[in-house]
Amino acid sequence: MRILVTGGTGYIGSHTVLTLLEAGHDVVVVDNLSNSSPEALRRVAELAGRQAALVQADITDEAALDAAFAEHTPEAVIHFAGLKAVGESAAIPLDYYFNNVAGTIALLRTMERHGVRTIVFSSSATVYGDRNPIPYVETMDIGAMNPYGRTKEHIEDILTDLGTADPAWRIALLRYFNPVGAHPSGRIGEDPQGIPNNLVPFIAQVAVGRREKLMVFGGDYDTPDGTCQRDFIHVVDLAEGHAAALDYLGDHDGVHRWNLGSGTGTSVLEMHHAFEKAVGEPIPYEIAPRRPGDLPAFWADPTAALTDLGWSTTRTIDQMCQDHWRWQKNNPHGYQDA
Ligand code: NAD
Ligand code: UD1
């Protein structure tokens, strides 16, 4: 297939583009490079032995999208482009709603004009909010707790309304749990700008000497070791989940929701220990106050993805840490080192 991937130079996007190229698809990436480097795609091409095209454009710019669709005639879209920092979304909500929600509307309007009605969308486990029991199941009511999460919820609603209005649409809403790790080559990986918000990129920067120590946010939760538990998923498993969802949409119309997670909770301290094992050295940490807005524990019920897509995670916590570490060690400052 010819697939247009928005946000395809980013962390999850670049790994998915590689998976798609390896599966024989043709790929065009649309990215404004606001949080990524074109070097990621150069390395994807090196790994895949062939290239994805790159259109540097903003998804809110319908004229630019029209030109990309006219030139590359995609048959389906995978939509990663978006802003994703929870704290920042509370400080600048309009930017988040404009970029994520208005950007998605511009993309969907463009798709309609060009007769493309198959889309896989990056949603998040954050849409389950703080009222649901764990594990999270796709049939639960959703209710995000911050502007970032609400952009995902609004986009899910828009896509659901679209699928109801026109049954020709084929829509997959993929709710990611906590993506970590990198391609095992160590050539592509997560390259956060500034201080990492997320756990594993922070641990990795301590391990490589860029930061002094990990602050573990909260050691007094009602969990087995007192620290929060999350459902970590290897980014390559996640990328493969996109390919599986796209295959499914090949012969199913309508709107579909799938959790992409492992179904297992791992604590912050367990993750820290697994990373120490991968590095082979101690990584300094201290227990700090809780981070506002954090939930004690959540993980996926991944049954639906297994039943419908035949997809489940295959990579372990140790592999996530080893692969993440290989990328960080070989590229201490991310793509800037290129
Ligand atoms: P990322 O920031 O690495 O990738 C996003 C890409 O989108 C970047 O390359 C950025 O330059 C691009 N982009 C942003 N706004 C754009 C716009 N207006 N026009 C064109 N390009 C634009 O993030 P990621 O971690 O790869 O996440 C990809 C998607 O998955 C996002 O939608 C994110 O919200 C979602 N998601 C991520 C996580 C996670 O933990 N990483 C978890 C759940 C959901
Ligand atoms: C965060 C986002 C969520 C997003 C997800 C993607 C919040 C409130 N939620 O979730 O919307 O979908 O990332 O991966 O930001 N931790 C530390 N020290 C650190 C960093 C994190 O102890 O320096 C702890 C956190 O308190 C949390 C766990 O590690 O308990 C995981 O944190 P993080 O990687 O930020 O992910 P989430 O909080 O699950």
Side-chain angles (χ1 to χ4, degrees):
M1 279 180 102
R2 289 186 304 280
I3 303 165
L4 186 142
V5 180
T6 74
T9 49
Y11 171 45
I12 306 169
S14 56
H15 288 83
T16 304
V17 169
L18 176 56
T19 297
L20 296 172
L21 290 172
E22 286 173 343
H25 298 295
D26 291 326
V27 178
V28 56
V29 168
V30 174
D31 200 302
N32 65 4
L33 304 179
S34 60
N35 196 39
S36 55
S37 161
E39 174 66 12
L41 279 195
R42 209 186 57 70
R43 296 190 185 183
V44 164
E46 188 187 283
L47 293 166
R50 59 202 197 89
Q51 250 178 335
L54 173 62
V55 175
Q56 186 176 347
D58 196 292
I59 56 161
T60 59
D61 179 350
E62 285 194 45
L65 290 180
D66 266 329
F69 274 73
E71 184 180 349
H72 296 279
T73 61
E75 297 153 278
V77 170
I78 304 183
H79 177 30
F80 294 104
L83 301 175
K84 63 165 186 176
V86 172
E88 186 184 66
S89 78
I92 49 169
L94 283 183
D95 288 13
Y96 271 68
Y97 285 110
F98 185 66
N99 196 78
N100 293 7
V101 181
T104 301
I105 294 171
L107 174 67
L108 295 171
R109 283 161 49 97
T110 308
M111 289 175 68
E112 281 217 303
R113 279 197 297 280
H114 294 264
V116 184
R117 292 190 177 80
T118 300
I119 184 167
V120 176
F121 170 62
S122 303
S123 189
S124 167
T126 199
V127 299
Y128 287 106
D130 59 357
R131 303 257 162 93
N132 282 306
I134 40 179
Y136 294 154
V137 184
E138 291 85 346
T139 47
M140 288 172 169
D141 287 339
I142 61 174
M145 302 177 297
N146 53 63
Y148 163 71
R150 280 190 282 274
T151 68
K152 295 296 181 192
E153 196 177 334
H154 290 324
I155 296 166
E156 286 204 9
D157 287 345
I158 291 165
L159 285 164
T160 304
D161 288 343
L162 190 58
T164 306
D166 179 355
W169 277 86
R170 295 171 177 217
I171 297 170
L173 310 176
L174 303 184
R175 295 176 179 163
Y176 311 159
F177 282 69
N178 289 61
V180 301
H183 188 265
S185 64
R187 295 292 291 156
I188 58 171
E190 185 167 13
D191 183 18
Q193 309 300 305
I195 302 170
N197 296 308
N198 297 118
L199 177 66
V200 171
F202 201 102
I203 297 176
Q205 290 197 4
V206 176
V208 84
R210 285 176 63 182
R211 315 212 170 259
E212 193 193 333
K213 63 182 161 194
L214 169 71
M215 306 303 262
V216 173
F217 299 140
D220 58 352
Y221 284 99
D222 185 15
T223 56
D225 67 14
T227 65
C228 295
Q229 295 171 296
R230 293 291 183 270
D231 185 342
F232 297 99
I233 170 173
H234 195 296
V235 67
V236 178
D237 277 330
L238 187 57
E240 290 170 0
H242 290 73
L246 203 55
D247 279 352
Y248 184 93
L249 294 182
D251 45 23
H252 296 83
D253 53 27
V255 183
H256 310 273
R257 290 167 189 77
W258 291 292
N259 288 336
L260 296 186
S262 70
T264 310
T266 301
S267 78
V268 172
L269 282 181
E270 286 170 338
M271 205 63 187
H272 169 263
H273 295 325
F275 213 93
E276 282 187 328
K277 197 160 57 157
V279 174
E281 280 178 32
I283 299 172
Y285 77 95
E286 82 180 39
I287 305 286
R290 293 181 179 193
R291 183 173 70 177
D294 273 343
L295 294 175
F298 63 85
W299 53 86
D301 177 338
T303 310
L306 180 61
T307 307
D308 298 340
L309 308 177
W311 173 93
S312 61
T313 60
T314 62
R315 294 162 178 89
T316 62
I317 293 285
D318 284 340
Q319 279 171 291
M320 296 176 209
C321 293
Q322 286 156 10
D323 291 340
H324 204 109
W325 175 234
R326 190 175 303 106
W327 151 255
Q328 184 75 71
K329 188 177 44 165
N330 294 346
N331 307 270
H333 295 90
Y335 292 114
Q336 270 177 37
D337 294 329

